[in-house]
Amino acid sequence: MMTRELDHSSDRDRLELALQIAGLGEFDWDIENDVVRVTERLSAIIGLPPGEYPGEGGEGLRRIVHPDDMAALRTDIARLLRAADVYEHRYRMIHPETGALHWMRAAGRVIRDGEGRALRILGIIEDVTAQHLEEDQRQQLMAELDHRVKNVLAAVQALAQQTAKRTTSLDAFLTNFNGRLKAMASANELLTAARWRGAAIDHLASAELGALAPGQTSWEGPELFLTPRAANALSLALHELATNAVKFGALSVETGHVDLRWRTLRDGGFELTWTETGGPPVGAPPRRGFGSTLLEQVTPRELNGAAEVEYRPAGVRVRLHAGPQAMADRPEVVPDVPAANRVTETVATAAGPASLKGARVLIVEDAVLLALELETGLSEAGAEVVGPAYELEEAMALLDQPIDAAVLDANLNGRSVTPVAEVLRQRKIPFVFATGYGETGGAPGGFDAPIIRKPYDVTQVASAVAEILASR
């Protein structure tokens, strides 16, 4: 007899502990006597003192149920008493002590007699407010992501259309469009690292100029952060200026220099000055392209300011004035200055496209269209493509084949490509990362490998692979 009592006590203690750990409060509704018993644990959750309360045929629940949810709960109770054995219901309540809105989950079982008549309901109640808040936040984030993606797609579409209208050949369109798209991607990477709270001007300058012409560019100014809209606009403007400087201006010769400086203004905005010196004599372009339109019309409007472009014989000088609306507070998370020297920014040279004749190159990329584009581009450069591999297991299986080099996406459908990279490193097979992940600290996984940021031109990838093969 004593043993049974001890076992029963032990079971009860385990149940009590389980309910306490789970944050559950239990109740007992005696339907025959129409009395609801509230335990101390349940009292701590719903705010009513522990004890017995009149059931009132279910209407007593109005003490803890939001008025707007009572009708649905009445329907559930009627169904439960009529035919069901178990139930689960979610409802809102106004906490009687704090007045705060809470979400509750109730679940239980009906105890019936031999004739099926409901005698009592035993159940538990859980405060699930935190889960509902998380779900609301998740929905808000998804809506915000959808909004941003649509904005980006619309901007890319407009960029493509405007670029196409002002180019005379497919090659020129691809070159100009890819460069502008990459400028947008650089700004987006910085904004993402700062949780879309803003991007610093010096980060934008480093991303655009850092690897362009070492020793021929410099930038200086106070730490200023721009809104996402202004950051994208300035990134595109710097890209247009840098592209023109490489083609026609100071960066087209070894003696030229580009100096970028910015300062704050009394109204809370800033002034940025781009100055080219030491290059060939320049003059106003014979026709206005999209770059000119971007600098003189689009950028000032996006920055809530103005732009002045001077084609001086000594070199181009551009002043951009931005209003205080373009400024953002310093984000809580500020990324490191982009390590531009770690990023491969390879472009076609006068010697023509890179040659990969006879090289066996493994492609690991989970985006099918992009993998096909890589396969076409590398094949046209003379490579023998291994793959493409779209999944981690596919890539690992292909490592047994003869491989001279590899192009790796950092993430394969949510899985890291690190196991593939590790095997390649052990076998001393060079590889490059072609990735959309913004890891300003260097290559993914800490590998000593060049990085090509998405979006990219396939010729960049071919040139990068040719370089790592030549350096073996």
Side-chain angles (χ1 to χ4, degrees), residues 93-130:
M93 68 164 280
I94 303 296
H95 199 282
E97 294 180 357
T98 65
L101 179 69
H102 287 249
W103 275 96
M104 315 300 289
R105 182 182 73 89
R109 175 178 291 275
V110 180
I111 307 299
R112 301 180 183 276
D113 60 16
E115 298 178 355
R117 186 165 54 95
L119 300 178
R120 63 197 307 182
I121 298 177
L122 301 177
I124 54 93
I125 291 180
E126 177 186 10
D127 189 332
V128 292
T129 305

Side-chain angles (χ1 to χ4, degrees), residues 43 45-48 61-70 91-104 127 129:
S43 171
I45 295 174
I46 65 176
L48 292 179
L61 291 171
R62 68 180 181 275
R63 301 183 185 92
I64 61 171
V65 177
H66 194 285
D68 293 345
D69 294 344
M70 272 299 296
Y91 61 88
R92 293 167 295 172
M93 68 164 280
I94 303 296
H95 199 282
E97 294 180 357
T98 65
L101 179 69
H102 287 249
W103 275 96
M104 315 300 289
D127 189 332
T129 305

Side-chain angles (χ1 to χ4, degrees), residues 255-274:
T255 57
H257 188 83
V258 169
D259 182 67
L260 183 66
R261 295 178 183 272
W262 59 92
R263 63 185 181 90
T264 55
L265 300 176
R266 291 182 179 179
D267 66 357
F270 71 90
E271 179 187 75
L272 180 143
T273 304
W274 170 287

Side-chain angles (χ1 to χ4, degrees), residues 333-358:
V333 178
V334 179
D336 296 331
V337 176
N341 61 324
R342 295 290 304 157
V343 182
T344 301
E345 299 287 357
T346 319
V347 296
T349 64
S355 175
L356 296 174
K357 186 176 181 179

